[in-house]
Every structure is written in structure tokens, then in C-alpha cells.
Amino acid sequence: MRTGARLTLYGLGLVVAFGGAFGVAGAVVPESTVADWTEGSEMNEHGEGHGAASTGAAGGAASGVKGLALGVDGFALSSVDAPAGVGEPGELSFQVQDHAGAPVTQYTTAHEKDLHLIVVRTDGSQFRHVHPVLDETSGTWSIPWEWAAAGSYRVFADFTPAGAGESSRTVTRTVQVAGGFVPVEQQPTRTAQVDGYTVTVDGELAAGASSGLTFTVTRDGEPVTALEPYLGAFGHLVALRDGDLAYLHIHADGADPEAGQTAGPDVAFAAEAPTAGRYLLYLDFQVDGQVHTAELVLDAAPGADPTDPEGGTHPEGH
């Protein structure tokens, strides 16, 4: 059985300086700042964060960082080369570099890929989850690319370095795409329509508590029972916190699919939000060899007072 994935999204305001108002630009952060972020994200043997707490966009304190730092454990994301404007065909490319600045060329396959690339505009729209190709000679990852809309984008590289006992890392850069745009305001929604499919989510998020989320896929009112394995599971979930885009790359609960096996219409996840706030959920599922992405939005309610032995709240203040 697969170990239950737990959604542990951490909040932190990302401090960046851009090399120009438009065009492609990587986030520039002093090494000392990156070191502070990395120290704050270290986990002890019980999976608990330690280090200085920081305040995230949702207003809560968090003791760890996931997907908000240029560098993690000596690994960093290089500058990102991509087309400068909307509708310009080209290539998006980058390197993952080690502590000496040398490109990393050896990886451990995780969820059937050596690296997962997530690109999303900072308002949560224009989401893409893709898998670029590695040139093992230069250590450069690349993929054909064309921007559909202007704005400021976050680029996440999620990978596991080669070596026994290595775990996944997530590093990020910011890219600016020239042109005017109107930000999308994300509103809670439990239903998404994508490519003729309807996806709904059942369950509630609560800060500091494990929550079961079940996604159901239907088409023309009928349950879809032909979900195919994709990246080692029947569903794949990326979750971002609205505002700071704190990131986690998780997979569904349940046994590993076997070759040729199908499932559906439900895909279940275990989720834990560290703070109250709005969370953007992107569910990938595959039918007939085609991957579809449903975008949903949930609000996490404040958790119970940890000092209250009954787990309740008391409006009277006692």
C-alpha cells in the first residue's frame, strides 16, 4: 500500500528582485537569505520543522519552506531561459546546479520521472505540469515553450538527486512575461469542467488537522471508471497556497496500479493545511492516454485550539 500523502503547505513571503520590468528574469536572492530559508525548512526525524518561524501570506507562522527558495541543501535552480513575450514559440531551459555551481546530471527517478516542472502564474492561473528532457552532457533541461498570457510566473523544479537516501527537493525561480494582464481572483469552487469531464471534490480542509479529500470524475453524468495510471497513481495532485504559492507535489492514497489496470471514479488523498487560508488544487488524471487537469479551490478553516482538551472553541473566551 502507498503511504498516505500528507499535504503540508508552508507559508513564507518570497523576497525577489527582478532584472527589469519585463522580459525573462530570475529571482535574485542573497546567499545568506537562501541559507536562512534552508535552515528554517530542515526537518527532524519526526518530520517536524525547526528554525526561525516566519509569517506566510495567509497570516500564519510556519517553521518550514517548500518550493519558495532558490536553493535547498546545496542545490539551486539556474536562471530560466524562455520566450520573452506572449505567442512567441521557443524553448524553456534551465539547469539544476550543485553547491559548486556545476550542473547536476544524475537523478533518482521519482513518480516515473527524473524531474517534474511546474509553471504557474502568480495569481494561480495558467498552470502547467510538464516533463522536460535532460541533455546529460550539459546538464540542461529543455522543453518547447510558448506563453499563452502575460504576467509574472513561478517555475518549480521538483527532483530527487542521485544517491542512497536522497529525498525530493523543490527549487523555484520567477519569470516575467511581457504584456499587460488582469490578475484572476481565485474563488472557492468544488467543481471543475475540463475537456468534457466534470470533477468534484468532497471533504474539508482544516488548519493543523489531517483531512480526507476525494475527487470524483464523471462525464455526461456518468461515473468515469477508466482512469489510467499516471505517474504511478490513478491521480496526481499539486497544491499551492493562494498568495505565496507555497508548494507540494503529492500522489493519491492506495495501492500502486498494475499494468493495464483502470479505476475510478474516485481518487482519494490525505491533506493537511498548516494554516487557515485559500488553497489551489490541480488534479491530473488520465483517460485513453490523454492527461487532463482539473483546477479547484478550497478554503481551510481555522483548526481547533491546541490548548483546549476538548478541541473546541469558546466564544466567551474561557
Side-chain angles (χ1 to χ4, degrees):
M1 296 291 290
R2 181 185 307 277
T3 301
R6 298 180 64 82
L7 175 59
T8 51
L9 301 175
Y10 300 104
L12 180 71
L14 178 64
V15 182
V16 296
F18 300 116
F22 296 107
V24 177
V28 180
V29 182
E31 291 184 1
S32 59
T33 302
V34 173
D36 289 343
W37 286 352
T38 303
E39 179 181 358
S41 65
E42 292 176 353
M43 309 297 285
N44 64 23
E45 63 182 355
H46 303 294
E48 299 164 337
H50 59 85
S54 56
T55 301
S63 59
V65 179
K66 182 72 172 179
L68 293 176
L70 287 172
V72 176
D73 299 333
F75 297 95
L77 187 62
S78 73
S79 59
V80 177
D81 292 325
V86 175
E88 299 179 16
E91 185 176 77
L92 186 149
S93 63
F94 60 91
Q95 295 177 337
V96 175
Q97 298 173 339
D98 63 17
H99 67 281
V104 177
T105 59
Q106 299 295 319
Y107 296 83
T108 298
T109 300
H111 309 307
E112 300 185 349
K113 300 292 181 179
D114 284 352
L115 184 141
H116 299 264
L117 183 70
I118 306 297
V119 181
V120 61
R121 203 164 68 175
T122 52
D123 61 1
S125 67
Q126 303 297 321
F127 175 89
R128 290 192 233 181
H129 173 190
V130 294
H131 303 101
V133 175
L134 175 65
D135 181 337
E136 294 186 4
T137 301
S138 66
T140 299
W141 293 91
S142 62
I143 188 170
W145 200 262
E146 184 174 328
W147 300 105
S152 180
Y153 285 79
R154 289 279 296 283
V155 176
F156 300 91
D158 188 338
F159 64 94
T160 301
E166 290 285 1
S167 59
S168 66
R169 272 78 163 181
T170 305
V171 290
T172 187
R173 283 268 182 178
T174 301
V175 170
Q176 301 283 24
V177 180
F181 80 101
V182 177
V184 175
E185 183 177 353
Q186 300 290 346
Q187 296 294 334
T189 177
R190 290 181 170 273
T191 301
Q193 305 288 338
V194 54
D195 304 328
Y197 295 92
T198 299
V199 178
T200 59
V201 59
D202 183 55
E204 303 292 340
L205 285 175
S210 180
S211 306
L213 297 180
T214 300
F215 295 82
T216 301
V217 183
T218 61
R219 188 180 182 95
D220 298 326
E222 297 296 325
V224 174
T225 57
L227 299 179
E228 299 168 345
Y230 176 63
L231 302 179
F234 288 115
H236 177 275
L237 185 66
V238 168
L240 304 173
R241 186 166 65 183
D242 190 26
D244 61 6
L245 297 186
Y247 164 89
L248 191 68
H249 181 173
I250 62 176
H251 280 239
D253 288 342
D256 293 335
E258 298 180 0
Q261 183 181 2
T262 58
D266 297 335
V267 185
F269 297 82
E272 183 174 341
T275 63
R278 186 154 293 172
Y279 292 86
L280 317 178
L281 309 178
Y282 306 89
L283 177 72
D284 290 335
F285 63 95
Q286 180 171 293
V287 180
D288 293 332
Q290 181 69 38
V291 177
H292 310 274
T293 302
E295 303 182 10
L296 304 100
V297 181
L298 293 182
D299 285 342
D305 182 353
T307 65
D308 184 347
E310 297 182 358
T313 58
H314 301 280
E316 299 84 5
H318 59 272

